Amino acid sequence: MFKKYISKLETIIAFAQSMLTPKQFIFLSAVLVGISSAFAVIVLKTFAHWVFSFATYVSGILKLGFINSILPIIGILLTVLVIKKVLGGTIQKGTSQILYAVAKKASIIPKKQMYAQIVTSSLTVGLGGSAGLESPIVITGAAFGSNYAQKYKLSYKDRTLLIGCGVAAGIAAAFNAPIAGVLFAVEVLLVDVSIAAFTPIMIAAATGALVSVIALNEEILLSFKRQQSFDYHNIAFYILLGLFTGFISVYYSRNFQRVEHFFARLKLSPYKKALFGASILAILIFIFPTLFGEGYESIKTLSENDPGKLLENTLFSGFRDNSWALLAFVGLTMMLKVFATGITLGSGGNGGNFAPSLFLGSYVGFFFSKFLNLTGLTKLPVSNFTLVGMAGILSGLFHAPLTAIFLIAEITGGYNLMIPLMIVASISLAISKRFEKHSMDVKNLAQKGHAFTSNKDTNVLSTLETSSIIQTDFLTVTPNENLERLVDLISHSNQVIFAVVDTEKNLLGVVHFNDIREIIFNSYRVKYTLVKEIMIAPAEIISPDDSMEMVMNKFEKSRKAFLPVLKEGKYYGFISKSIALEAYRTKLKSMTIE
C-alpha cells in the first residue's frame, strides 16, 4: 500500500516536471526535500525525547539510578547489530561524507543513507548514547536531496543544490531556526554557492522549520525563554569567554580524535568493541547522568533559575544547594563530555558532534560566569553566558561563526545577545584556527588528502585527479643519441619538451626546444653533439599520487610549462600547466551553483 502511494506521488512529480520550467521545478523540489527532511527530524527527535522521558520516569519511581547506564549499552550493541546485519557492515558517519560526495562522487549519496542514519542514530542517541542527532539528520536530508535529484535526472549542479536544501531543512527543523539552517548549508557544506542559489535553500529551510513547529511539541525543541538584557560593561568578560571557548574547542577536537583512533586500533570484534566502549560509557553516565543522550534537558536547566536540579537523582544529590559542588560537577562534566561522545561513536554507535558542542558550550559558559560570581570578582548574568558559550564552542569546533551566532539568536527568541554572540564566536574561531587548521568535519578528510576549506581554489583543486591530466604519449630520446634524432622528432611532432631516458625508463634529464633553438640551426653541432651534453635536470618531479594542489605549487615554484611524471621511479609522462589550468576552469564552472 505504501509503495502504491509513493508511486502515485512520483508520477505527479514527474508530470509537474514536464509542465514547469527548470527553475520552478527546483523551487517545488526544495519544498518536497524540506518536508522529507523535517519528517526525519520529527521521527528522531520524538523517539529520543520519549526514551529520555521514560528513563527519567523509571529512575524517579523505582530509584534505579543505573537504568540510564544500561540503556546506552543496549543502544550501541543494537546499532552495531543493525549495521552488520542490515546495512552491509558499514555506515558513513559525519557530515564530512557530504563534502566528499559533492566533490568526489558527483553529489551521489547512496540510497541507504535515507534510512540508515535514522535507524542507527535513533538506537544510539535515543537510548542514551552521548552524541547528537543533528549530523545524522543532515546526512539524511542530503541523501533525500541527492536521490530525489537522481530520480528526476537533474544535473550535478541541481543535485548539489538539493543536497544543500536537505541540509538546511534538517538543521532548520531540528532547532526551528531557518536562518541558521541556510547559513549552515552555505558556510559549512556549500562554500561556493551564488546569491541566486539562496532562494531554493531558503525555501527548504522555511519548509523544514514550519513542518517541525506544526508537528513537534515545543518542549522537544531546544529553545530558551529566559535571558537577561545585554550590559556593555561585561564586554571584557565576553572577550575572556571567547578565549576560553576557543581553547576548550581545541581540547575537545584533539581528544575526540584520540579516542576515535584508540578504538580504531583495537583488535576486537565489532560486538566486543561495542560492549567494551559502552561499558565505560555506562560508568561515566552512572556518575554523571547529564552525559545521557543529547543533553538538551540539562542545557535548559543550566539556563534557568535553579541549576541545582542537575544534581537531583545523582550520587551528589546531597550537595544540591552547594554552589561550589554544583560548579565542580559542571566542570567535570564539561571535561568528560568529549570522552563520552568519543566512546559512543568510536565503539560503534552513530551520531554527531553538533549537539555535544552545544552541550559543552552551555557548560563552559555556566562554569566561567558562575566561577567569577562565586569568587565575588563580579556579578555576571549566568543565563546569558550559558547561551553565548554555546556559540563559542560551535564556532570553534565547526569553524562556522555565522551559523553559531544566528542559531543561538533564533533559539533564544530574539537578538538581544547579538553583540556578545559576535564577540565570542569570532574570538573562539580565531583561537581554534590558530591551533587547528581544519574544522572537526574536515579534519579526517584532510588527513586523507581530501581537504575542503573556505579557500575556493583549494576546494576545486582537491576534486581533480592528477592521473587524469598526465600525457603519456610524449616521445623520448636516449642520452647517447646525437641531435639529428632530436631535430627529426621536433620536425615531425608538436612536442616542445623531451624526456631523456635509458633502456630501463629511468629519467636522466629533459631537453626543451627553447633551450636548443640556436644549436639546431648549426648542422655541425647537430651532428656532433650528444643529447646528454645539452640535457638538464628537471626543475620538479611529479608523482601520479600528488594532489593537484601540490602539482600547481610545483608549477609555480619551477616556473615551467611542463613537468615530468615518475611512476614507481620510472618515467611515465608529462603534465602540461595549460592542460592543468583548463581542467581547473572546467571543474570550477561545473561546481559553481547558480
Side-chain angles (χ1 to χ4, degrees):
M1 183 66 72
F2 182 72
K3 287 184 177 181
K4 183 178 179 182
Y5 284 121
I6 292 293
S7 179
K8 285 184 178 180
L9 179 60
E10 290 176 347
T11 302
I12 294 171
I13 295 173
F15 176 74
Q17 184 178 22
S18 67
M19 299 299 293
L20 299 174
T21 66
K23 181 171 287 189
Q24 290 170 339
F25 183 69
I26 287 295
F27 291 162
L28 172 63
S29 302
V31 173
L32 296 174
V33 170
I35 293 173
S36 301
S37 300
F39 276 117
V41 171
I42 292 166
V43 170
L44 281 171
K45 288 288 186 180
T46 302
F47 181 77
H49 181 76
W50 181 85
V51 172
F52 176 82
S53 300
F54 173 76
T56 304
Y57 175 77
V58 172
S59 180
I61 296 297
L62 303 179
K63 306 299 182 184
L64 297 176
F66 57 83
I67 187 69
N68 283 8
S69 298
I70 296 174
L71 290 176
I73 297 176
I74 298 171
I76 293 175
L77 286 172
L78 285 176
T79 301
V80 172
L81 177 66
V82 169
I83 291 173
K84 195 167 183 64
K85 299 297 184 182
V86 180
L87 302 176
T90 61
I91 186 173
Q92 294 176 324
K93 302 178 185 179
T95 52
S96 61
Q97 303 303 324
I98 304 174
L99 290 169
Y100 188 79
V102 169
K104 297 288 188 178
K105 302 293 184 181
S107 293
I108 303 294
I109 298 177
K111 283 185 178 181
K112 75 175 184 178
Q113 293 289 27
M114 292 192 291
Y115 59 87
Q117 299 291 331
I118 295 176
V119 174
T120 54
S121 63
S122 64
L123 291 172
T124 298
V125 183
L127 290 172
S130 193
L133 294 171
E134 286 73 25
S135 179
I137 285 169
V138 164
I139 297 173
T140 301
F144 283 147
S146 173
N147 284 276
Y148 176 96
Q150 294 175 57
K151 175 69 178 179
Y152 299 102
K153 297 179 170 48
L154 301 183
S155 66
Y156 166 76
K157 290 181 181 179
D158 289 338
R159 283 198 304 273
T160 306
L161 180 55
L162 288 181
I163 283 176
C165 289
V167 168
I171 292 295
F175 295 101
N176 188 23
I179 297 175
V182 172
L183 291 173
F184 183 82
V186 174
E187 190 176 28
V188 177
L189 299 172
L190 307 177
V191 295
D192 297 325
V193 175
S194 67
I195 296 298
F198 269 74
T199 304
I201 294 177
M202 288 190 293
I203 291 172
T207 302
L210 180 61
V211 173
S212 175
V213 168
I214 293 172
L216 274 180
N217 190 317
E218 185 179 350
E219 67 180 35
I220 296 179
L221 296 171
L222 182 64
S223 61
F224 303 90
K225 300 300 181 185
R226 182 177 178 271
Q227 58 177 293
Q228 298 166 258
S229 59
F230 167 62
D231 184 352
Y232 69 88
H233 293 100
N234 294 327
I235 286 180
F237 295 104
Y238 284 116
I239 292 173
L240 290 175
L241 178 62
L243 295 170
F244 191 37
T245 53
F247 285 115
I248 292 293
S249 297
V250 175
Y251 163 84
Y252 185 98
S253 178
R254 292 184 176 179
N255 281 290
F256 178 81
Q257 194 168 42
R258 289 190 183 103
V259 175
E260 272 200 324
H261 288 169
F262 170 77
F263 278 96
R265 291 193 298 267
L266 279 181
K267 304 298 183 183
L268 296 174
S269 69
Y271 295 110
K272 289 181 179 178
K273 184 185 293 186
L275 185 59
F276 171 68
S279 298
I280 299 174
L281 178 64
I283 295 171
L284 289 175
I285 291 176
F286 181 75
I287 301 173
F288 300 95
T290 49
L291 294 174
F292 183 90
E294 290 182 294
Y296 285 161
E297 294 298 326
S298 68
I299 295 176
K300 294 179 181 179
T301 301
L302 279 183
S303 66
E304 294 171 352
N305 285 322
D306 187 17
K309 287 193 295 184
L310 283 183
L311 298 181
E312 292 180 355
N313 298 319
T314 72
L315 299 176
F316 314 101
S317 56
F319 299 94
R320 187 194 186 289
D321 298 319
N322 186 315
S323 296
W324 283 104
L326 173 63
L327 188 68
F329 180 85
V330 169
L332 287 171
T333 305
M334 177 180 80
M335 303 306 288
L336 290 172
K337 180 62 176 178
V338 60
F339 298 102
T341 304
I343 290 168
T344 299
L345 302 183
S347 63
N350 188 24
N353 280 291
F354 201 96
S357 72
L358 297 178
F359 177 96
L360 178 62
S362 67
Y363 275 61
V364 169
F366 179 91
F367 181 87
F368 176 86
S369 56
K370 191 70 174 178
F371 174 78
L372 291 178
N373 286 352
L374 289 176
T375 58
L377 295 174
T378 185
K379 187 64 177 176
L380 299 175
V382 176
S383 60
N384 283 5
F385 276 76
T386 301
L387 298 175
V388 173
M390 291 192 286
I393 298 296
L394 185 60
S395 175
L397 284 181
F398 290 91
H399 294 184
L402 291 177
T403 301
I405 291 167
F406 282 92
L407 176 63
I408 305 307
E410 286 186 282
I411 65 177
T412 55
Y415 293 86
N416 294 330
L417 296 177
M418 183 58 71
I419 293 175
L421 286 171
M422 294 172 72
I423 292 171
V424 173
S426 58
I427 293 175
S428 178
L429 174 67
I431 295 295
S432 178
K433 292 197 76 169
R434 171 64 179 79
F435 296 97
E436 292 289 335
K437 180 180 179 182
H438 301 294
S439 68
M440 284 198 69
D441 278 340
V442 174
K443 187 185 292 187
N444 287 334
L445 287 176
Q447 291 174 345
K448 296 175 183 177
H450 305 302
F452 296 87
T453 69
S454 57
N455 185 314
K456 191 172 185 177
D457 289 335
T458 299
N459 291 339
V460 176
L461 288 173
S462 69
T463 66
L464 296 173
E465 297 289 347
T466 299
S467 57
S468 66
I469 60 170
I470 299 175
Q471 294 174 275
T472 58
D473 57 349
F474 273 51
L475 301 170
T476 61
V477 292
T478 57
N480 293 317
E481 291 180 300
N482 59 33
L483 295 193
E484 288 181 328
R485 160 76 171 156
L486 184 59
V487 171
D488 181 60
L489 292 178
I490 292 173
S491 63
H492 291 89
S493 72
N494 296 322
Q495 278 185 227
V496 294
I497 190 169
F498 295 84
V500 182
V501 298
D502 59 20
T503 55
E504 296 181 353
K505 287 289 183 178
N506 293 307
L507 180 67
L508 305 176
V510 294
V511 177
H512 199 287
F513 172 70
N514 289 336
D515 297 333
I516 62 169
R517 191 185 298 271
E518 296 180 2
I519 297 177
I520 62 175
F521 292 109
N522 184 320
S523 58
Y524 177 81
R525 295 187 65 182
V526 166
K527 186 174 182 179
Y528 293 102
T529 301
L530 299 180
V531 169
K532 65 182 179 182
E533 296 175 32
I534 50 94
M535 71 180 186
I536 60 173
E540 293 283 350
I541 297 293
I542 292 175
S543 165
D545 298 325
D546 286 347
S547 68
M548 278 300 298
E549 187 175 10
M550 292 174 60
V551 170
M552 296 310 294
N553 286 337
K554 289 180 178 181
F555 273 118
E556 185 69 22
K557 183 179 178 180
S558 66
R559 299 184 180 277
K560 298 294 185 180
F562 294 88
L563 289 177
V565 179
L566 297 187
K567 185 176 182 180
E568 298 178 355
K570 305 295 184 180
Y571 167 74
Y572 185 64
F574 277 95
I575 289 182
S576 163
K577 186 176 183 180
S578 63
I579 290 178
L581 289 174
E582 181 61 31
Y584 165 84
R585 285 191 289 267
T586 302
K587 177 61 74 171
L588 175 62
K589 184 177 179 181
S590 71
M591 289 181 67
T592 302
I593 304 172
E594 300 172 349

